Amino acid sequence: MRFTFVSLFPELIEGYFSASILGRAREAGKIAIDYRNPRDYSTNRYRKVDEAMVGGGAGMLMFPQPLDDTIRTIREESSEVRMIFLAPAGKPFRQRDARRLALKESHLAFVCGRYEGIDERIVELHADEVFSVGDAVLTGGELPALMVCDAVSRLLPGVLGNADSLAEESFEEGLLEAPAFTKPDEFRGKRIVSEYLKGNHSKIAALKKQMALSRTKHYRPDLYQRVKAQS
């Protein structure tokens, strides 16, 4: 899988792929990372990429020309690319989106806005999908793009050391993941759930399902109601 980041600050992104699981995946050729800086495509003599908003409003917007030329160049070089914009106004990014993209796509490009965002005409012209990673406004799209990239990358074959770990993760069955424990059996007066220690895997599986339901009901009642309605 190839990932392209359209960003004014690629240095904010690069370090994330230099270590740990994604660093190893990159070294092994499971994923490829590249960057495009819209400043490099600006026809402005000062490489300017932002302008005041028409109709008033605080802050500046990324104006169309540099982004348009950047995206068109990417599309000319890669007919398989899927262009993803990150914005608070987008649809919520879900685990099912990560699975779909990991299964169906070979090249994802993330357009990372800055300032007060991107001229809407660029979104209308070029966005294949627009995702939001939460009901909060950040200073740029780099962090959301990294979140989507991470979620997709770990689902690719060979990226995780133990692919079986994907099966019991949060959201895989519409539920949050059940609590997990490690040694020692007791820590600061808190003991591991006794059934976990007995080795009966069918009982442990049933207990995990019940605890996943309880945790989802407590933290995400919206998900809990959806699961109950489907059962």
Side-chain angles (χ1 to χ4, degrees):
M1 174 80 81
R2 177 183 171 192
F3 298 100
T4 298
F5 291 85
V6 178
S7 170
L8 297 175
F9 302 99
E11 64 273 17
L12 297 179
I13 301 168
E14 175 62 24
Y16 196 74
F17 298 98
S18 63
S20 190
I21 291 172
L22 295 191
R24 293 193 294 271
R26 188 180 186 182
E27 289 181 0
K30 304 294 184 183
I31 62 173
I33 309 296
D34 61 88
Y35 307 96
R36 299 298 174 92
N37 192 330
R39 291 194 190 280
D40 296 335
Y41 296 83
S42 177
T43 57
N44 182 279
R45 62 182 296 187
Y46 302 109
R47 301 175 73 208
K48 187 178 179 182
V49 295
D50 60 311
E51 287 285 0
M53 288 185 278
V54 175
M60 308 287 277
L61 279 181
M62 296 181 72
F63 67 86
Q65 178 272 313
L67 280 170
D68 185 66
D69 286 356
T70 304
I71 293 169
R72 288 183 183 279
T73 299
I74 295 171
R75 289 199 186 277
E76 288 171 1
E77 295 174 354
S78 174
S79 61
E80 301 297 323
V81 66
R82 187 160 186 81
M83 203 67 58
I84 295 177
F85 284 59
L86 292 309
K91 67 179 181 180
F93 179 72
R94 302 291 190 229
Q95 185 67 12
R96 60 178 176 269
D97 295 307
R99 288 196 301 269
R100 169 175 54 83
L101 294 172
L103 180 64
K104 294 184 177 181
E105 305 300 332
S106 61
H107 184 188
L108 300 179
F110 302 107
V111 181
C112 305
R114 277 277 159 173
Y115 314 115
E116 290 299 312
I118 295 170
D119 188 299
E120 187 65 21
R121 291 168 293 182
I122 291 297
V123 181
E124 294 174 357
L125 284 168
H126 294 296
D128 293 315
E129 299 193 60
V130 184
F131 285 127
S132 166
V133 298
D135 295 341
V137 179
L138 305 179
T139 56
E142 287 78 12
L143 276 175
L146 281 172
M147 290 174 64
V148 175
C149 181
D150 188 301
V152 173
S153 294
R154 62 196 306 280
L155 297 174
L156 298 173
V159 170
L160 290 187
N162 182 2
D164 292 341
S165 64
L166 295 171
E168 296 184 358
E169 291 185 325
S170 291
F171 310 114
E172 285 303 322
E173 295 183 357
L175 297 172
L176 301 184
E177 188 175 2
F181 306 93
T182 186
K183 295 180 179 180
D185 296 352
E186 182 177 341
F187 182 76
R188 296 190 184 276
K190 300 288 186 181
R191 294 190 59 82
I192 294 175
V193 178
S194 60
E195 200 65 56
Y196 277 42
L197 304 172
K198 296 177 181 178
N200 188 321
H201 295 294
S202 63
K203 288 187 176 181
I204 292 173
L207 179 61
K208 283 187 173 182
K209 180 64 176 291
Q210 186 58 48
M211 289 194 294
L213 280 166
S214 297
R215 175 180 268 189
T216 305
K217 184 177 182 180
H218 180 75
Y219 288 110
R220 292 292 302 274
D222 57 322
L223 293 179
Y224 178 79
Q225 292 300 327
R226 190 179 306 160
V227 170
K228 294 297 286 184
Q230 294 171 352
S231 62

